[in-house]
Amino acid sequence: MLQKLPLSISSFYKIRTNGYLYVDKTNYVYDLITGHGNYFLSRPRRFGKSLLVSTLKEALEGNKELFDGLWIADSDYQWPKHAVIHLDFSEFGNQTPQYFLEGMLNAFKLSGQYHGVVADLSSDSVSIV
């Protein structure tokens, strides 16, 4: 049976839970997570950056069940849970710099609430409580 192609879907969770085709590149995810150093992820538009970031997020949050049948599931990766802040700058709006900043600060605030961190964020100052 042919699997559906994940056209315009950049969510690892959606691809894996809805039966879409996924080309296993989790050996590279493993290398990024367990390696040392800094990485700059650069690819042309529409070449999978968002899907890679989504895959990293799910692995770092310890969602092992999503990786059943993939390379990383059979590796020595221990699946520790990490708090992940995933910001999608395209969701902030760009009408003005202030509008963008407010969108970004709101995203940080929501992410903090999700992870149990109270943050007092304003465009003038940022403090973590």
Side-chain angles (χ1 to χ4, degrees), residues 109 112-113 115-121 127-129:
K109 187 175 184 177
Q113 289 172 348
H115 292 296
V117 176
V118 177
D120 178 22
L121 303 171
S127 63
I128 304 296
V129 181

Side-chain angles (χ1 to χ4, degrees), residues 1 3 7 20 23 32 46 71 82 95 108 117 123:
M1 179 177 140
Q3 290 179 287
L7 302 175
Y20 287 98
V23 176
L32 285 170
R46 312 298 305 159
W71 183 92
H82 299 278
Q95 290 80 357
F108 271 116
V117 176
S123 59

Side-chain angles (χ1 to χ4, degrees), residues 87 101-113 117-129:
L87 301 175
L101 179 60
E102 288 172 8
M104 187 171 62
L105 292 174
N106 188 49
F108 271 116
K109 187 175 184 177
L110 291 173
S111 185
Q113 289 172 348
V117 176
V118 177
D120 178 22
L121 303 171
S122 72
S123 59
D124 298 329
S125 66
V126 176
S127 63
I128 304 296
V129 181

Side-chain angles (χ1 to χ4, degrees):
M1 179 177 140
L2 293 176
Q3 290 179 287
K4 302 176 283 187
L5 296 176
L7 302 175
S8 299
I9 300 174
S10 58
S11 165
F12 182 77
Y13 177 83
K14 287 181 184 177
I15 289 172
R16 295 294 290 167
T17 58
N18 292 305
Y20 287 98
L21 177 67
Y22 177 76
V23 176
D24 188 4
K25 295 184 180 174
T26 57
N27 55 318
Y28 299 115
V29 170
Y30 176 88
D31 290 343
L32 285 170
I33 292 172
T34 61
H36 300 286
N38 300 315
Y39 300 97
F40 177 73
L41 304 175
S42 175
R43 290 180 164 167
R45 287 179 48 86
R46 312 298 305 159
F47 269 75
K49 291 180 299 295
S50 295
L51 178 57
L52 175 60
V53 169
S54 177
T55 306
L56 283 166
K57 175 185 172 291
E58 296 296 344
L60 290 169
E61 288 181 341
N63 295 322
K64 184 178 180 178
E65 66 283 353
L66 291 176
F67 295 86
D68 287 344
L70 300 178
W71 183 92
I72 199 169
D74 295 326
S75 73
D76 62 350
Y77 187 59
Q78 298 299 306
W79 302 98
K81 293 182 185 252
H82 299 278
V84 176
I85 298 173
H86 181 198
L87 301 175
D88 183 347
F89 282 41
S90 69
E91 295 177 357
F92 300 159
N94 60 2
Q95 290 80 357
T96 67
Q98 184 65 30
Y99 191 76
F100 178 83
L101 179 60
E102 288 172 8
M104 187 171 62
L105 292 174
N106 188 49
F108 271 116
K109 187 175 184 177
L110 291 173
S111 185
Q113 289 172 348
Y114 178 79
H115 292 296
V117 176
V118 177
D120 178 22
L121 303 171
S122 72
S123 59
D124 298 329
S125 66
V126 176
S127 63
I128 304 296
V129 181

